[in-house]
Amino acid sequence: MKRRRAKVDAFDRAVLQHIEEHGWSVVTVGGEDGSQNFAYSVGMRPHGLPELYMTGLSLPTLQFFINEVCGRLLVESRDYQPGDVIDDLSD
């Protein structure tokens, strides 16, 4: 049986390059009216860390928050636990 090769497009290559350079990437997805915006991290799992997902804010704000927390987890080795409130983020 022949295996299919996954198609890697320009977006995938950009995400993979960003992960290689920074350790993670943030993907943002927006609805036309902004009401269904969400963002998620990619690349944290290989470091033994959870991927992050956020919704309900503007795309730049979502990207900022996820980048900030990923940086704290990966670069600063912060040890957040489920249920922790992170109240020192600002945009």
Side-chain angles (χ1 to χ4, degrees), residues 33-54:
D33 64 356
S35 66
Q36 297 179 10
N37 291 345
F38 66 93
Y40 57 93
S41 66
V42 180
M44 298 296 285
R45 192 80 183 134
H47 301 288
L49 297 167
E51 299 295 351
L52 304 177
Y53 173 89
M54 289 183 71

Side-chain angles (χ1 to χ4, degrees), residues 1-2 6 26-27 38-39 43 48 50 54-56 70 73 75 85 88-89:
M1 180 176 192
K2 262 187 175 177
V26 177
V27 176
F38 66 93
M54 289 183 71
T55 187
C70 286
L73 289 167
V75 177
V85 175
D88 61 342
L89 296 172

Side-chain angles (χ1 to χ4, degrees), residues 8-77:
V8 178
D9 62 14
F11 175 80
D12 296 328
R13 283 190 295 278
V15 169
L16 291 170
Q17 181 177 356
H18 200 256
I19 291 169
E20 186 175 310
E21 291 174 8
H22 302 282
W24 74 91
S25 187
V26 177
V27 176
T28 58
V29 180
E32 288 183 20
D33 64 356
S35 66
Q36 297 179 10
N37 291 345
F38 66 93
Y40 57 93
S41 66
V42 180
M44 298 296 285
R45 192 80 183 134
H47 301 288
L49 297 167
E51 299 295 351
L52 304 177
Y53 173 89
M54 289 183 71
T55 187
L57 301 168
S58 71
L59 294 178
T61 301
L62 292 168
Q63 185 172 21
F64 170 82
F65 285 155
I66 291 180
N67 270 323
E68 183 68 22
V69 174
C70 286
R72 291 177 182 196
L73 289 167
L74 187 60
V75 177
E76 298 176 15
S77 300

